[in-house]
Amino acid sequence: EHDDGRRAQLLGPVQDISEAVEHRRALQAAHHRMALAADSGGIAIFDIDLPADRLTVDAWLVRQYELPAGRAYAPADLWALRVHPDDREALARDVAHALAGQRRLEAGFRIVRSDGVRHMRVAASITRDDGGRAIALVGVSLEVTALKELGAQREQQHELM
């Protein structure tokens, strides 16, 4: 209403965005739950853009692999910086098979950190373009050193029996 009592009219398109707002809230809630689960389990999340040769990492992956913070990475950086030299060839073969085939990547390998050798497991889904060419990997990395050590202890106990 105007100061003189006349009604004001607004002409123009009106769009109901209620559904979009609800969708955004649902995505935010799912993201929050996923981040909480990953953080609670020490699960690192990574994304590799193959055409751009760019690796995007979260804070957990930086910690797991003792990567220098605050810089961009190429996927090969992980191999060169941390993957145990004896595991590089097998890991490269696993990645190549996953990229060439229609399966996801699942691999175990060791990394070398300042506090010693650590065992890692990675799993990643592969996104392909319309021609079937691999264009991206989105995956998780988990340190499994304690599980490996527990398994080795159990094997030693079985051998003693």
Side-chain angles (χ1 to χ4, degrees):
E1 229 175 78
H2 292 283
D3 289 341
D4 62 5
R6 290 181 299 141
R7 289 195 151 170
Q9 291 183 345
L10 178 63
L11 295 175
V14 176
Q15 183 177 7
D16 183 1
I17 62 168
S18 302
E19 188 175 321
V21 169
E22 276 304 308
H23 182 67
R24 182 177 49 94
R25 285 182 181 152
L27 283 173
Q28 287 173 332
H31 174 74
H32 178 73
R33 286 191 303 272
M34 195 64 177
L36 179 63
D39 194 45
S40 297
I43 300 169
I45 300 172
F46 64 89
D47 184 339
I48 300 174
D49 179 336
L50 293 169
D53 195 34
R54 185 177 58 240
L55 171 65
T56 303
V57 300
D58 68 354
W60 269 107
L61 200 118
V62 169
R63 284 192 295 259
Q64 284 178 352
Y65 290 79
E66 291 184 338
L67 296 174
R71 62 167 273 217
Y73 301 100
D77 287 343
L78 285 184
W79 275 247
L81 291 172
R82 295 292 177 246
V83 174
H84 192 287
D86 293 344
D87 293 351
R88 288 179 186 161
E89 187 177 314
L91 181 57
R93 193 171 42 251
D94 288 344
V95 170
H97 281 93
L99 293 175
Q102 296 297 319
R103 65 179 183 92
R104 58 187 244 150
L105 171 65
E106 292 190 26
F109 54 92
R110 295 168 294 167
I111 61 172
V112 180
R113 296 189 336 187
S114 63
D115 59 350
V117 174
R118 298 284 183 235
H119 292 267
M120 307 303 292
R121 290 284 310 158
V122 295
S125 63
I126 300 169
T127 302
R128 297 180 185 281
D129 64 14
D130 292 338
R133 184 177 64 108
I135 57 172
L137 283 87
V138 176
V140 295
S141 173
L142 181 65
E143 183 186 341
V144 294
T145 304
L147 292 173
K148 286 281 194 181
E149 290 171 351
L150 186 61
Q153 289 173 0
R154 215 171 67 204
E155 281 186 33
Q156 287 176 349
Q157 289 175 349
H158 283 301
E159 289 175 7
L160 293 174
M161 293 182 156

